Amino acid sequence: MVKKYEGIIPPIVTPFDEAGEINESCLRREMELCMEAGAHGLSVGGSTGEGPTLHDDELCRMLEIGREFVGPEQTLVCGVMRMSTRDAVATGLRAREAGADAVMVTPTAYNVLVPNAEGMFSFYSTISREVGLPVIIYNVIPQNTISPALFHRLLDETEHVMGIKQSVGGIQALYADIMETAGRGRVYAATDDMIYSCFDLGARGAISAILSVFPAECVEMWECARNGDHQRGLAIQQSLYQKWQCLGGNQFPIRLKYALKVLGRDCGYCRSPITYLPEEEKAAIRSAFAG
């Protein structure tokens, strides 16, 4: 059995209707599809789920729905994307009450409010102490990256910081985290087009958008890495590589939702102001995903 907090943990898209409200039936469909494909947990409220646009009540409702699909041996992760320690703690406490098994916390992002390493140590250590849930660092803010050394220090000096989702710096940054911590912390892959390679290098799982689009294929890549079937794992990664190249960059959630629509899984709208996808980008996605 896969250890709790490891393996394939898809970050679920947040389906909105035209008025900007969460479509719960569509959300359930996406969660069920991922878990039936063999996923080891679910994550809500991250970048894929448009987390910065969600208020605490909405996050809690999504966690309550997620609990319907995630069993006690699996992992339900709540994204926490707030701009101050106080607000991150408040959201984390709400997530704990709503049934989250862990919080995945983004560093603060607003340019002139980016702290130094001591400030980020205080940020994560306070969340660890006050929220009391396992904490995954969501290392996704280019102007406020968490270094391997700081991750190592947080593992050593806090009770609950236990992992990092490495989303900046690509596969090299993931490997730097793995080498720095020598297996002590959980390093999660988020390099969508090289997920199998991340597993092959020692990632303890993934919380990455490609898992939500192709859950069965990603579960198989995870099993290939665990079983030493390098040829098959690499073949699956290569089969998905070109599809993913048209999705990255700004406005990622609207591209992702359009790709899901092409695959027959309409997830509705994004929240304003992410409202417009040019026709040439739609055509590129259709070409990549319809085949």
Side-chain angles (χ1 to χ4, degrees):
M1 180 177 291
V2 175
K3 294 179 182 178
K4 196 174 178 74
Y5 307 110
E6 297 186 4
I8 301 300
I9 305 174
I12 298 298
V13 299
T14 305
F16 296 110
D17 63 24
E18 197 166 7
E21 300 302 318
I22 296 173
N23 182 331
E24 292 190 3
S25 63
C26 186
L27 179 66
R28 284 188 169 88
R29 183 200 69 204
E30 289 297 305
M31 289 179 170
E32 183 177 29
L33 187 151
C34 288
M35 296 309 292
E36 287 186 347
H40 308 110
L42 297 172
S43 174
V44 302
S47 300
T48 302
E50 301 172 64
T53 75
L54 298 168
H55 55 65
D56 288 356
D57 288 345
E58 291 172 320
L59 281 173
C60 290
R61 180 59 183 154
M62 293 174 71
L63 288 166
E64 290 168 0
I65 294 171
R67 202 75 266 175
E68 298 172 14
F69 299 95
V70 176
E73 299 301 322
Q74 298 160 326
T75 307
L76 183 60
V77 178
C78 182
V80 175
M81 309 178 89
R82 301 292 183 254
M83 291 302 101
S84 71
T85 305
R86 180 194 65 178
D87 289 351
V89 166
T91 299
L93 289 170
R94 290 289 306 278
R96 186 179 71 182
E97 293 170 3
D101 296 309
V103 289
M104 184 173 69
V105 185
T106 305
T108 54
Y110 189 70
N111 285 356
V112 297
L113 298 180
V114 171
N116 58 19
E118 286 302 316
M120 291 315 300
F121 178 82
S122 174
F123 176 76
Y124 281 107
S125 61
T126 301
I127 293 166
S128 168
R129 183 177 64 253
E130 298 295 331
V131 175
L133 282 178
V135 176
I136 301 166
I137 298 166
Y138 184 7
N139 202 14
V140 70
I141 307 300
Q143 70 271 25
N144 191 10
T145 58
I146 304 302
S147 69
L150 180 54
F151 174 42
H152 197 163
R153 181 185 173 195
L154 285 161
L155 290 173
D156 285 345
E157 298 182 28
T158 69
E159 182 178 358
H160 296 293
V161 172
M162 60 83 167
I164 189 167
K165 174 183 171 179
Q166 188 58 55
S167 294
V168 289
I171 199 167
Q172 296 94 335
L174 174 132
Y175 195 52
D177 287 331
I178 292 170
M179 293 299 292
E180 169 71 27
T181 57
R184 282 203 55 240
R186 293 174 174 86
V187 180
Y188 297 93
T191 304
D192 293 282
D193 53 7
M194 297 187 72
I195 285 291
Y196 174 74
S197 296
C198 292
F199 296 157
D200 207 32
L201 287 173
R204 302 277 285 274
I207 308 172
S208 192
I210 196 169
L211 280 57
S212 296
V213 182
F214 300 109
E217 291 87 343
C218 291
V219 168
E220 187 175 358
M221 282 191 281
W222 171 254
E223 292 301 327
C224 286
R226 284 159 53 87
N227 297 329
D229 191 350
H230 179 78
Q231 184 174 359
R232 174 60 181 160
L234 193 59
I236 299 170
Q237 176 174 284
Q238 290 170 345
S239 74
L240 301 178
Y241 181 85
Q242 291 299 336
K243 295 179 186 295
W244 210 258
Q245 302 315 303
C246 59
L247 296 185
N250 292 336
Q251 293 213 120
F252 173 70
I254 199 170
R255 290 193 188 93
L256 186 67
K257 284 181 176 176
Y258 189 75
L260 288 170
K261 185 175 182 179
V262 171
L263 294 173
R265 294 158 56 189
D266 192 342
C267 289
Y269 300 84
C270 290
R271 267 199 173 145
S272 179
I274 308 298
T275 57
Y276 177 71
L277 187 63
E279 286 301 320
E280 61 269 23
E281 294 189 32
K282 291 182 179 179
I285 293 169
R286 287 196 302 272
S287 176
F289 279 75

